Amino acid sequence: MQLQDVITRNPETISPDDSIRHATKIMRDCQIGFLPVTDDERVLGVVTDRDIVIRAIASGFDPQTTCVRHVMTKDPVQLQATDPIEKALEIMARWAIARVIVTDSDGRIVGVLTSGDAATACKGDDRAGQLTAAIHRRANKTQPVPMPPPNAQFVSE
């Protein structure tokens, strides 16, 4: 089975120059916690609700003026739509990641493989459980706090 058979197609995306407030509105309205950061359909990074809370809000960055590029994770894992699901499952479990960007042969985003998509594709076999366990182990580790972006504006506490 290829990734193109199981992915979530046409995911919501955001520009690196959009504000993190705009990102949170998209996440709220679409009930998602993850946005690929794109420029002309090319993926530059990803931003999650956790990235926004930990890297921006907790550090006092102003959500109105702080750009997504300052809190996004750069160079996310990307696989091609024609790659087998087994390759994605192995990478997701090894790196304990819940989502993988899926691109076409020209490197343009076509979808996202989520851990939910993977579980559905596995139809309950133990690979889905192994992936979930790896993701939960990673969630218990702390993430580094980034340096403020140049010209950062802060919200007073």
Side-chain angles (χ1 to χ4, degrees):
M1 181 181 310
Q2 295 180 333
L3 291 179
Q4 63 194 358
D5 300 324
V6 297
I7 61 174
T8 298
R9 292 192 167 276
N10 303 312
E12 293 291 329
T13 63
I14 194 159
S15 163
D17 295 319
D18 284 336
S19 71
I20 58 172
R21 173 144 169 104
H22 181 65
T24 62
K25 286 180 178 181
I26 293 171
M27 289 178 184
R28 177 199 63 203
D29 294 346
C30 297
Q31 298 182 4
I32 56 176
F34 168 90
L35 287 168
V37 181
T38 61
D39 183 22
D40 193 29
E41 297 183 21
R42 306 276 183 213
V43 177
L44 305 175
V46 296
V47 65
T48 66
D49 48 3
R50 182 173 170 83
D51 291 333
I52 292 169
V53 170
I54 302 298
R55 295 179 180 172
I57 304 304
S59 297
F61 299 171
D62 182 350
Q64 291 284 96
T65 60
T66 303
C67 294
V68 168
R69 77 172 61 251
H70 297 301
V71 297
M72 71 181 188
T73 299
K74 297 177 183 171
D75 302 319
V77 174
Q78 298 181 50
L79 295 171
Q80 289 198 355
T82 55
D83 284 336
I85 183 81
E86 290 77 14
K87 180 177 180 179
L89 291 170
E90 179 185 328
I91 289 169
M92 292 170 80
R94 183 180 334 132
W95 295 102
I97 52 178
R99 303 164 193 98
V100 174
I101 302 294
V102 181
T103 62
D104 65 15
S105 59
D106 294 323
R108 292 185 301 261
I109 187 169
V110 295
V112 174
L113 178 72
T114 67
S115 55
D117 297 331
T120 300
C122 292
K123 294 184 175 48
D125 71 26
D126 67 339
R127 295 176 299 172
Q130 292 169 3
L131 175 58
T132 301
I135 291 167
H136 284 287
R137 280 192 302 274
R138 179 175 182 236
N140 292 327
K141 294 181 182 180
T142 59
Q143 293 194 3
V145 176
M147 295 298 297
N151 304 319
Q153 294 182 15
F154 295 90
V155 178
S156 56
E157 294 184 22

